[in-house]
Amino acid sequence: MLELYDTTLRDGNQGEGVSFSVEDKLLIIKALDRLGIHYIEGGYPGSNPKDMEFFKGAKSLQLQQAVVVPFGSTRHPRYQPGEDPNLLALLDTGARTVTIFGKSWELHATDVLRVTAQENIELIESSVRFLVENGREVIYDAEHFFDGYDDQPDYALQTLKAAAQAGARCVVLCDTNGGRLPLEIQEGVRAVIAEIGLPVGIHTHNDAGMGVANAILAVQAGAAHVQGTFNGYGERCGNANLASIIPTLKLKLGIDCISGEGLNQLTETSRLISELANLPHDERQPYVGSSAFAHKGGMHIDAVRKNSRTFEHIDPELVGNEQRILISDQAGKSAILKKIERRYPNYDKNSPEVIALFDRLKEAENEGYQYEAADASFELLTRTLLDGYQPFFDLLGFRVIIEKVKDHGIRSEATIKVMAPDGEVEHTAADGDGPVNALDSALRKALERFYPSLQEVHLTDYKVRVLDTQAGTGAKVRVLIEASDGREYWGTVGVSENIIQASWEALTDSLEYKLYKDSRET
Ligand SMILES: CC(=O)SCCNC(=O)CCNC(=O)[C@H](O)C(C)(C)COP(=O)(O)OP(=O)(O)OC[C@H]1O[C@@H](n2cnc3c(N)ncnc32)[C@H](O)[C@@H]1OP(=O)(O)O
Ligand SMILES: CC(C)C(=O)C(=O)O
């Protein structure tokens, strides 16, 4: 069985902008355990009090299968093993498996540790032996193995043999600088397997964009343990991305490293980790990004409607992801049919309704509307054209006042008049941080009496894009709003030369969609 070793919480945490709290780490460990990861590197206890603290909390975790591992280095040349603070910190965690790294490249021994090549071998041997004699299972990470092997193959192998003779359970070959190419990795792994009677692991970085490819080739060359981080977090360009490695191993190479149910949780887990890292999820990530199975070209959408295998390398559900159809000016009638087929199963490409919607879409996109991120506006447009949908409210008028008095702040106020379907007219006013906020508040004030569920809606994103920059301040703008009611997110769009009008369109679509959605649910 191939071992999966996750180092998001240690090497991933070395990535720019990534810093997990103890609580984040505990949540991530539970998610990785549910997924089926075998080893989770939790942190570097010799590095900082937060990581030491983390290992105290980790002891009480009830995990199904994952082993939580602390990470550290071989002893410092200044200390004997029994005095080395870093080795003692590893023992202090109480973990039964520990990982330490040592130098495989003579350059690092002489220029960084400032010891001789032979002294470096002794550091490795004595550190591993000390941990083994203290009852620990040791995973030995050979830092810069491939650079060292390229420079002096015999020396690099000697460092591994020192770890093996001292009792390491497994040696992990690292492409620490991330600059090696797949065939070099394959050759190195094969050479080590031929020389060392231990399971061999792989740990690669992405500095040449080869992180995942290098890990996969290593496994094909016989590596039995693969390290990586979720979402590819890690120092510089990051580590090999486990969210790509795992499905590739399981689905392409048939390596049974994770269960089918585990694999189904891949997208959810990757998103959770982005969330806890407080970083935007990379939607272009293979397998787990929302663009991974999103089709935009009209011909491609036509093909996936006929058979999804034509443009999908795997079934997205296997990794917990889903197919998405993007509506844009590059869509054809098949794209429209795919979007509406559940509600209107009897339409085909020649239905006048479909042609009308297609023509309106092309026109609207030409005017600057973009429905790719505005599914809710597209749904309302569809319902209006195909079913004569009647909106829940009708705007009779609004006025926005922006007032600036010297030495005082700027003030925005909106008044609004709307009519509900029963003919009742509501006239309200509200202040706001800016004109759009004032309009939003006045509109809600007017409508919430009729439709209390609008209180659940909040705007989660507001984006303005200038469409014809050469027109200066007279340019047309596109406003995209994302809203949520805590259960669902939806996007709406508005376009105008007037930013208030564009915002108004997107805003009203967003409230209208909530009412439409609620009416469908009841
Ligand atoms: C490839 C990797 O990702 S390996 C992991 C790298 N991760 C980190 O560095 C994050 C955690 N590191 C830390 O918190 C700190 O560097 C500490 C606490 C470990 C050490 O802090 P300091 O004692 O102040 O040392 P500093 O960071 O300045 O220098 C690193 C020291 O580690 C030594 N060192 C580097 N690799 C090894 C090794 N494999 N074995 C033993 N010592 C090592 C260096 O020689 C240097 O010691 P020196 O100053 O006596 O020459
Ligand atoms: C020491 C190892 C595991 C490492 O982080 C690397 O080589 O990148």
Side-chain angles (χ1 to χ4, degrees), residues 208-220:
M210 303 284 158
V212 170
N214 283 347
I216 297 292
L217 257 89
V219 172
Q220 288 183 302

Side-chain angles (χ1 to χ4, degrees), residues 393-399 414-420 424-429 439 442-443 446-447 504:
F393 57 92
D394 191 15
L395 172 74
L396 300 179
F398 68 68
R399 179 184 299 135
T415 50
I416 200 163
K417 218 189 243 185
V418 288
M419 187 163 69
E424 208 175 326
V425 172
E426 187 70 23
H427 192 173
T428 53
L439 262 179
L443 181 61
L447 295 177
W504 169 259

Side-chain angles (χ1 to χ4, degrees), residues 27-28 30-32 34-35 230-231 233 243 260-277 281 283 285-290 316-322:
L27 286 171
I28 290 174
K30 284 188 200 154
L32 293 176
R34 277 195 300 275
L35 193 75
F230 257 81
N231 304 330
Y233 296 155
E261 299 80 66
L263 195 63
N264 294 162
Q265 294 169 38
L266 195 74
T267 301
E268 186 189 326
T269 307
S270 156
R271 284 189 173 278
L272 172 79
I273 292 173
S274 299
E275 191 71 34
L276 293 171
H281 189 66
E283 301 297 0
Q285 257 191 90
Y287 298 102
V288 296
S290 67
E317 285 180 14
L318 292 173
V319 291
N321 207 339
E322 60 183 11

Side-chain angles (χ1 to χ4, degrees), residues 210-382:
M210 303 284 158
V212 170
N214 283 347
I216 297 292
L217 257 89
V219 172
Q220 288 183 302
H225 164 121
V226 61
Q227 299 195 351
T229 62
F230 257 81
N231 304 330
Y233 296 155
E235 209 153 333
R236 306 181 306 277
C237 310
N239 286 55
N241 188 350
L242 275 183
S244 300
I245 294 175
I246 294 171
T248 303
L249 292 175
K250 171 107 179 156
L251 301 174
K252 314 268 170 181
L253 299 181
I255 296 176
D256 198 20
C257 53
I258 195 172
S259 69
E261 299 80 66
L263 195 63
N264 294 162
Q265 294 169 38
L266 195 74
T267 301
E268 186 189 326
T269 307
S270 156
R271 284 189 173 278
L272 172 79
I273 292 173
S274 299
E275 191 71 34
L276 293 171
N278 204 13
L279 291 173
H281 189 66
D282 176 1
E283 301 297 0
R284 286 190 183 80
Q285 257 191 90
Y287 298 102
V288 296
S290 67
S291 301
F293 303 97
H295 306 284
K296 182 161 168 181
M299 293 176 205
H300 301 175
I301 297 169
D302 173 59
V304 291
R305 266 191 83 221
K306 292 167 177 159
N307 180 347
S308 58
R309 280 181 58 215
T310 54
F311 279 92
E312 285 175 359
H313 68 123
I314 60 154
D315 174 354
E317 285 180 14
L318 292 173
V319 291
N321 207 339
E322 60 183 11
Q323 182 185 80
R324 290 172 57 235
I325 299 298
L326 304 179
I327 291 295
S328 73
D329 58 353
Q330 294 183 57
K333 291 184 214 60
S334 299
I336 289 179
L337 283 173
K338 181 85 183 150
K339 268 291 197 215
I340 66 173
E341 67 195 353
R342 235 185 292 160
R343 182 178 298 275
Y344 309 97
N346 299 325
Y347 288 158
D348 63 28
K349 283 188 182 183
N350 300 318
S351 306
E353 293 84 352
V354 172
I355 294 170
L357 187 53
F358 175 74
D359 290 344
R360 177 65 200 123
L361 171 71
K362 294 277 169 173
E363 242 172 63
E365 290 264 344
N366 194 34
E367 287 162 19
Y369 288 85
Q370 205 181 59
Y371 291 100
E372 211 179 299
D375 261 25
S377 289
F378 182 72
E379 174 88 10
L380 293 173
L381 175 71
T382 307

Side-chain angles (χ1 to χ4, degrees), residues 5 7 10-11 14 41 71-72 99-102 141-145 172-178 203-205 227 236 239:
Y5 184 108
T7 177
R10 197 281 301 173
D11 221 359
Q14 286 175 214
E41 197 167 80
F71 174 87
T99 297
I100 58 166
F101 77 97
D141 284 347
E143 190 194 26
H144 291 108
F145 173 79
V172 181
L173 313 182
C174 304
D175 180 24
T176 305
N177 293 359
H203 174 116
T204 53
H205 278 257
Q227 299 195 351
R236 306 181 306 277
N239 286 55

